[in-house]
Amino acid sequence: MLRKGPLREGTFRTALHDPRTAVVVGRLLGAAFAVCFLTGVLSHLMQNQPGWLALPSRPVWGYQVTQGLHVAAGIAAIPLLLAKLWVVYPRLYVWPPARSVRHALERLSIAVLVATALFELATGMINIVQWYPWAFPFVPVHYWVGWVLTGALVLHIGVQLPVITEHWARGPEAEPGAADGGPSRRGLLAALGASVGVVTLATVGQSVSPLAKASPLAPRRPGVGPQRLPVNRTASQAGVLQPIRDPEWRLTIAGPIELSFTRAELLAMPQHSVRLPIACVEGWSASARWTGVRIRDLMDRAGAPEDATLRVFSLEQFSPYSVMEMRREYTRDALTLLALGINGEPLAEDHGYPARIIAPNRPGVLQTKWVARMEVL
Ligand SMILES: Nc1nc2c(c(=O)[nH]1)N[C@H]1C(S)=C(S)[C@@H](COP(=O)(O)O)O[C@H]1N2
Ligand SMILES: [Mo]
């Protein structure tokens, strides 16, 4: 008597709500989530470097590639997740709703899996378009919910292992769908592949510059912005216009020797040019030729020991970007600069004038702009 609407037997007759289709789509979705998880954990470690972990400063494009993959795999996962949910949603109406405690727990874990998957993809998307409508801090929440999602996913794969192994290889059965006149599995997968291709191409240009023109939906594009480089936060938004225009601006270095430099004095030191990307956690990246003073030269002058950590302060206050620390892997690297110029011009105000940090294989958030003070630890 309770079995009404979709709860009636035989409501779903399209052959594509079958285990084989669920497994085929699930594999692709699982692969996308695995890429998101691994690159996400890596990004977390690079932004919150634990004391025991030394990070490589090469390849210089490492973070650009892994974070570009993180965002691209997350975007590709959206059509995959929608397809997977469509394939399996008739299971929402299984009868009885809970056969046993075990069955009830299993269904609960699926609820957690679906909710966290939707949450991760939605918050990630909202973040890369730089809209922050929530009251919670995005980074830690996205990170920890990622662990819950991964746990629920591993549990789900474990529970479904018999079904997965049974349907992993294509069975001898005829193509479903063809018989009942509905869409064929091949048709569904082709449409799905096309959707993944379109959403990827429409956005991947934010980190793969040759594809920028083909990516109308990329939130940021290499080459668009002052000095042909995107900007996340402008000098005016950061509230630093006054101090960076102050002719009294000095770079101070607090080490065994206390030093202070005007911009002209920094420009009189040996200048080095390096080609390095800014790779934002939000997925966009762009390369530029940066010119300035090597951090290790400045630290040597300040009498810093070889393995000293450097703490860098921005003129920007009350922001997660106000202070950053850089360990020896970066400070000793010849490519790590206190940049004064970009693409042959003096640094634009929005790119960190009078001086900013640029280091190889580093998340964009740690490439501090509007630097005024450094401390040798
Ligand atoms: N002081 C300060 N430094 C900062 C930021 C900031 O908002 N304030 N944004 C960071 C982020 S998130 C990125 S991706 C890069 C972007 O550098 P760009 O604006 O020169 O492209 O600067 C980083 N350095
Ligand atoms: Mo960023």
Side-chain angles (χ1 to χ4, degrees):
M1 232 185 305
L2 285 168
R3 302 194 68 173
K4 297 199 171 115
L7 295 174
R8 277 178 324 225
E9 212 155 334
T11 310
F12 301 97
R13 299 198 315 141
T14 312
L16 293 178
H17 299 298
D18 66 319
R20 164 75 184 157
T21 311
V23 168
V24 173
V25 178
R27 284 194 304 227
L28 298 169
L29 183 60
F33 277 159
V35 170
C36 286
F37 177 71
L38 294 173
T39 51
V41 169
L42 181 68
S43 178
H44 179 84
L45 290 173
M46 291 181 75
Q47 287 176 69
N48 309 274
Q49 190 177 2
W52 49 265
L53 182 70
L55 291 170
S57 60
R58 301 301 155 85
V60 298
W61 40 261
Y63 190 75
Q64 180 178 31
V65 168
T66 61
Q67 194 61 13
L69 266 179
H70 182 80
V71 172
I75 292 174
I78 294 172
L80 293 172
L81 178 63
L82 295 177
K84 172 85 185 186
L85 291 177
W86 178 80
V87 171
V88 300
Y89 88 94
R91 313 263 305 154
L92 201 53
Y93 307 106
V94 289
W95 200 266
R99 276 193 313 273
S100 61
V101 174
R102 190 195 136 101
H103 183 224
L105 285 176
E106 226 175 271
R107 296 198 77 195
L108 187 68
S109 77
I110 302 237
V112 172
L113 179 59
V114 173
T116 52
L118 290 170
F119 179 87
E120 288 295 85
L121 297 184
T123 52
M125 274 311 287
I126 292 170
N127 185 258
I128 62 171
V129 297
Q130 299 210 295
W131 174 41
Y132 311 104
W134 38 63
F136 55 81
F138 167 76
V139 174
V141 174
H142 190 75
Y143 177 69
W144 287 112
V145 174
W147 278 95
V148 179
L149 163 58
T150 305
L153 183 56
V154 169
L155 185 69
H156 176 62
I157 292 172
V159 168
Q160 297 292 339
L161 210 52
V163 182
I164 297 173
T165 44
E166 186 188 338
H167 296 279
W168 189 265
R170 187 184 322 191
E173 86 275 23
E175 262 288 300
D180 61 12
S184 68
R185 185 186 294 134
R186 206 166 286 148
L188 175 80
L189 292 176
L192 186 54
S195 322
V196 169
V198 167
V199 295
T200 303
L201 200 62
T203 47
V204 79
Q206 66 178 329
S207 49
V208 184
S209 43
L211 292 178
K213 287 222 165 54
S215 288
L217 299 183
R220 294 296 159 115
R221 286 195 244 172
V224 179
Q227 298 173 322
R228 301 181 301 290
L229 193 75
V231 170
N232 250 27
R233 188 174 303 171
T234 63
S236 140
Q237 286 165 338
V240 295
L241 280 179
Q242 211 193 324
I244 65 174
R245 289 176 180 172
D246 185 348
E248 293 299 299
W249 176 89
R250 295 278 187 288
L251 173 79
T252 58
I253 309 178
I257 307 168
E258 290 266 339
L259 297 172
S260 160
F261 299 92
T262 64
R263 204 178 125 92
E265 287 166 347
L266 289 169
L267 284 167
M269 287 179 67
Q271 302 290 300
H272 297 273
S273 282
V274 301
R275 186 157 190 92
L276 286 180
I278 288 266
C280 182
V281 292
E282 287 163 357
W284 64 266
S285 56
S287 284
R289 204 168 55 83
W290 309 86
T291 307
V293 182
R294 278 187 182 144
I295 287 293
R296 72 175 191 208
D297 292 351
L298 287 167
M299 289 178 73
D300 288 348
R301 283 232 205 165
E306 276 247 333
D307 59 350
T309 293
L310 191 67
R311 186 177 287 160
V312 178
F313 294 85
S314 172
L315 284 164
E316 181 181 6
Q317 285 172 322
F318 316 114
S319 142
Y321 312 111
S322 305
V323 189
M324 169 277 280
E325 276 178 23
M326 198 155 47
R327 298 232 306 255
R328 67 162 298 162
E329 306 92 281
Y330 297 103
T331 58
R332 300 308 304 174
D333 195 302
L335 298 182
T336 303
L337 300 185
L338 182 72
L340 308 166
I342 178 176
N343 295 334
E345 298 167 16
L347 216 51
E349 288 178 336
D350 289 343
H351 287 308
Y353 176 90
R356 72 150 331 142
I357 296 291
I358 186 79
N361 193 20
R362 259 259 322 150
V365 288
L366 302 177
Q367 311 277 32
T368 308
K369 305 197 277 193
W370 313 299
V371 173
R373 182 179 168 77
M374 306 200 286
E375 288 175 6
V376 176
L377 302 185

